[in-house]
């Protein structure tokens, strides 16, 4: 097949989705327009001390007003797909009740524009921006939020089902549960390990409710492709000692299998339940019927990957602080690993990105081939991968980002190898289309293939954007680093 063609290039399967990803709060701006009300990220970013430099998503990349130009740019670059998220409080401001048509209209216009340009839309229902009213009612630790999410999914399926075939329920529930309710470096900034685990279960349940809602709202003839996106951790023990191996097992349980278990296999892992028994009563938390709902079949699994996770067993004291400080999301005295605070995270040697994240594509290979081995019939999609570097505009007006080209090339090579070794990977979405609001880091970290000058909102494709466009046109990468 094309994957093995012998012209010195590594070819990807035909029909492969080549895209870029964004998220509503990170690019849209227009925070108070057309009926949109605050989400937890509006509240959080407007709370002094939470986001670097006091940055907020009020304006962001002004995509709400510039979506037409942005789609034209995607089309010039040659993307054949685009992953975006819907702002819940834009389409259902209180998180309950009827939709706001003006809010839905934005996503109708956006998807119409994409389809007219021949770009396949991939819609994510939730990329971390819970309507503030639902947080005030308890947020994700409250079971009702999952029920509200099911209704929101039904409403979106009705509104966009004639245009959108690819759907992702949640983006990275790990971040929502553990950064939002555990370490508190993400909105809503709560720090309680029990809440974090309750949130994880209710996010799983929300996913299950959304899959059911979408299945009944979407025309089966259009062959909808339903998925969830997880930030799976490629966990490596620092040494082969029993204690380090056990630390890796625990992090794999609370980081990966807490989602993969119920969603793909209909059960929470026994070791996870045991590790966290002092924090939650799983028999009370998981009600009859929940696991059947959560494990409703999906068509694809989305995997986001940035860097590997190297762990060792910690001492008895002070390890929680150490883990939290090293987690790469901003500082907190609280751990984002409920029940496994006593694990130390290590920076592997080698080059780092501007986030201080290490660069190691083999983690992506291991994750893709690992899921392919345990779930051979489940198609996969890399729904995010990319890197921040200290990009700047040269005197000639160009943004040269060879490190980003090398990063993306290396990870595409890892995906190619995973496909060769049996993983059914259907697409790749670069994070991100353009520079944007990088959560707790504000606008200081640039992940885009396209540079955004925030004072003028001018978009300047970086060298990596041109390289990525050529890669898409060829459907292949070189064997060695460009
Ligand atoms: C994604 O999350 C988000 O979906 C996206 O919105 C965001 O802009 C993008 O990534 C870039 O941050 O402990 O130092 O090894 C990424 C979530 C979770 C990334 C854990 C790296 C480990 C860092 N991540 N993480 S470290």
């Amino acid at each position: 097949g094309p994957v093995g063609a012998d012209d010195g290039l590594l070819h990807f399967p035909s029909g492969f989705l080549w895209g870029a990803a964004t998220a509503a709060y990170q690019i849209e701006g227009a925070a108070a327009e057309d009926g949109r009300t605050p989400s937890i990220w509006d509240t959080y970013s407007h709370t002094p001390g939470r986001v670097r430099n006091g940055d907020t998503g009020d304006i962001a990349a002004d995509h709400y007003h510039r979506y037409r130009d942005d789609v034209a740019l995607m089309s010039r670059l040659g993307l054949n797909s685009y992953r975006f998220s819907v702002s819940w409080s834009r389409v259902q401001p209180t998180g309950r009740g009827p939709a706001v048509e003006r809010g839905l209209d934005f996503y109708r216009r956006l998807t119409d524009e994409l389809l007219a340009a021949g770009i396949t839309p991939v819609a994510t229902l939730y990329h971390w921006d819970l309507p503030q009213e639902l947080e005030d009612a308890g947020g994700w630790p409250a079971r009702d939020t999952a029920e509200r999410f099911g209704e929101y999914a039904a409403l979106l399926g009705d509104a966009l089902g004639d245009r959108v075939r690819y759907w992702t329920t949640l983006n990275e529930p790990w971040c929502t549960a553990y950064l939002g309710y555990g370490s508190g470096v993400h909105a809503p900034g709560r720090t309680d390990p029990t809440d974090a685990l309750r949130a994880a279960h209710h996010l799983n349940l929300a996913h299950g409710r959304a899959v059911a809602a979408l299945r009944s709202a979407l025309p089966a003839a259009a062959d909808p492709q339903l998925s969830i996106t997880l930030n799976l951790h490629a966990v490596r023990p620092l040494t082969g000692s029993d204690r380090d191996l056990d630390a890796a097992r625990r992090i794999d349980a609370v980081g990966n299998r807490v989602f993969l278990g119920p969603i793909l296999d209909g059960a929470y892992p026994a070791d996870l339940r045991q590790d966290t028994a002092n924090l939650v009563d799983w028999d009370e938390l998981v009600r009859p019927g929940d696991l059947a709902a959560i494990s409703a079949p999906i068509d694809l699994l989305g995997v986001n990957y940035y860097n590997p996770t190297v762990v060792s067993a910690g001492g008895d004291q002070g390890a929680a602080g150490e883990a939290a400080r090293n987690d790469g999301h901003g500082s907190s005295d609280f751990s984002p690993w409920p029940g496994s605070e006593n694990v130390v995270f290590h920076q592997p040697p080698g080059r780092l990105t501007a986030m201080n994240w290490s660069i190691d594509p083999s983690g992506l290979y291991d994750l893709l081939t690992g899921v392919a081995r345990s779930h051979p019939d489940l198609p996969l999609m890399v729904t995010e991968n990319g890197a921040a570097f200290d990009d700047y505009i040269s005197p000639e007006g160009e943004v040269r980002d060879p490190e980003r080209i090398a990063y993306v090339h290396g990870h595409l090579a890892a995906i190619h190898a995973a496909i060769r070794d049996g993983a059914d990977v259907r697409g790749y979405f670069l994070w991100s289309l353009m520079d944007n609001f990088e959560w707790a880091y504000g606008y200081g970290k640039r992940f885009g293939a396209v540079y955004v000058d925030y004072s003028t909102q001018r978009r300047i494709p970086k060298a990596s954007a041109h390289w990525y466009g050529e890669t898409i046109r060829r459907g292949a990468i070189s064997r060695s680093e460009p």
Side-chain angles (χ1 to χ4, degrees):
V3 174
D6 192 18
D7 57 1
L9 296 175
L10 302 174
H11 289 262
F12 284 74
S14 65
F16 196 73
L17 293 180
W18 294 96
T22 63
Y25 191 70
Q26 295 181 273
I27 64 165
E28 284 181 2
E33 269 175 61
D34 294 334
R36 185 183 180 281
T37 58
S39 75
I40 55 175
W41 267 97
D42 295 87
T43 308
Y44 191 81
S45 65
H46 281 270
T47 304
R50 290 302 205 173
V51 174
R52 268 194 208 176
N53 207 25
D55 289 344
T56 74
D58 289 1
I59 299 172
D62 195 32
H63 173 72
Y64 190 74
H65 299 117
R66 293 166 194 267
Y67 72 92
R68 243 187 208 103
D69 293 345
D70 289 338
V71 173
L73 179 56
M74 293 177 217
S75 163
R76 282 202 298 286
L77 294 177
L79 306 190
N80 68 21
S81 52
Y82 173 58
R83 174 173 179 255
F84 64 96
S85 82
V86 176
S87 159
W88 187 347
S89 70
R90 194 182 286 295
V91 306
Q92 196 189 30
T94 64
R96 304 165 198 280
V100 165
E101 287 302 318
R102 281 170 305 163
L104 285 175
D105 280 343
F106 170 69
Y107 299 102
R108 292 189 180 108
R109 294 195 303 273
L110 171 65
T111 47
D112 282 347
E113 201 72 14
L114 289 165
L115 293 170
I119 298 172
T120 300
V122 179
T124 296
L125 297 190
Y126 185 76
H127 199 123
W128 308 352
D129 43 359
L130 188 71
Q132 183 61 44
E133 286 212 22
L134 291 186
E135 174 57 26
D136 295 343
W140 287 109
R143 185 179 169 95
D144 185 58
T145 302
E147 308 301 347
R148 302 283 69 75
F149 188 74
E151 291 183 11
Y152 161 65
L155 167 166
L156 276 182
D158 288 341
L160 301 178
D162 55 345
R163 297 165 168 83
V164 177
R165 179 174 170 227
Y166 287 85
W167 297 82
T168 296
T169 55
L170 303 171
N171 179 70
E172 302 188 347
W174 181 92
C175 292
T176 301
Y178 300 160
L179 302 180
Y181 297 91
S183 68
V185 300
H186 279 187
R190 288 163 58 180
T191 54
D192 182 305
T194 296
D195 283 343
L197 288 169
R198 297 180 65 84
H201 175 60
H202 296 144
L203 284 154
N204 283 331
L205 184 60
H207 158 77
R209 294 282 191 258
V211 167
L214 290 172
R215 286 273 180 237
S216 58
L218 301 174
D223 190 20
Q225 298 291 299
L226 307 188
S227 65
I228 182 169
T229 280
L230 303 176
N231 57 312
L232 294 181
H233 294 79
V235 186
R236 276 95 196 257
L238 183 67
T239 75
S241 73
D242 286 351
R243 296 182 68 236
D244 289 356
L245 289 171
D246 195 58
R249 176 197 60 74
R250 291 176 72 109
I251 294 304
D252 178 48
V254 73
N256 298 330
R257 291 183 283 116
V258 64
F259 304 110
L260 292 171
I263 292 168
L264 300 183
D265 305 324
Y268 281 102
D271 61 332
L272 168 78
R273 294 175 55 131
Q274 212 176 310
D275 290 345
T276 57
N278 59 324
L279 294 171
V280 289
D281 178 349
W282 287 92
D283 292 327
E284 178 264 339
L285 181 62
V286 183
R287 299 203 187 152
D290 284 5
L291 289 165
I294 296 168
S295 60
I298 51 176
D299 305 293
L300 284 164
L301 178 70
V303 177
N304 291 356
Y305 173 80
Y306 290 87
N307 59 345
T309 305
V310 181
V311 300
S312 67
D316 288 334
Q317 300 293 311
E322 201 162 340
R325 273 197 302 283
N326 287 340
D327 96 322
H329 290 281
S331 51
S332 168
D333 293 334
F334 300 89
S335 168
W337 299 102
S340 289
E341 292 83 0
N342 192 10
V343 169
V344 181
F345 291 76
H346 300 267
Q347 188 85 271
R351 307 226 18 243
L352 302 175
T353 71
M355 301 295 283
N356 280 331
W357 296 348
S358 64
I359 301 175
D360 183 358
S362 72
L364 181 55
Y365 173 88
D366 290 348
L367 290 173
L368 295 172
T369 53
V371 179
R373 252 193 315 277
S374 58
H375 298 84
D377 298 327
L378 180 65
L380 304 172
M381 191 126 94
V382 176
T383 38
E384 280 180 36
N385 171 248
F389 291 104
D390 293 322
D391 304 314
Y392 63 94
I393 307 176
S394 75
E396 296 76 39
E398 290 163 11
V399 184
R400 301 197 188 106
D401 57 344
E403 310 96 321
R404 183 171 288 104
I405 293 173
Y407 181 99
V408 175
H409 176 273
H411 288 80
L412 284 171
I415 294 168
H416 188 276
I419 294 173
R420 179 201 62 204
D421 294 344
D424 181 7
V425 186
R426 302 283 175 95
Y428 176 82
F429 293 79
L430 177 64
W431 184 271
S432 179
L433 173 66
M434 58 186 157
D435 294 337
N436 57 55
F437 175 80
E438 178 50 30
W439 307 114
Y441 294 87
Y443 298 101
K445 302 292 178 204
R446 295 180 176 273
F447 274 91
V450 174
Y451 187 93
V452 176
D453 176 341
Y454 293 108
S455 59
T456 60
Q457 292 295 349
R458 219 179 115 210
R459 275 77 161 131
I460 303 152
K462 304 176 190 176
S464 60
H466 299 301
W467 175 85
Y468 190 46
E470 281 163 34
T471 298
I472 296 171
R473 272 182 285 279
R474 276 199 308 258
I477 55 170
S478 58
R479 280 177 199 276
S480 54
E481 204 174 276

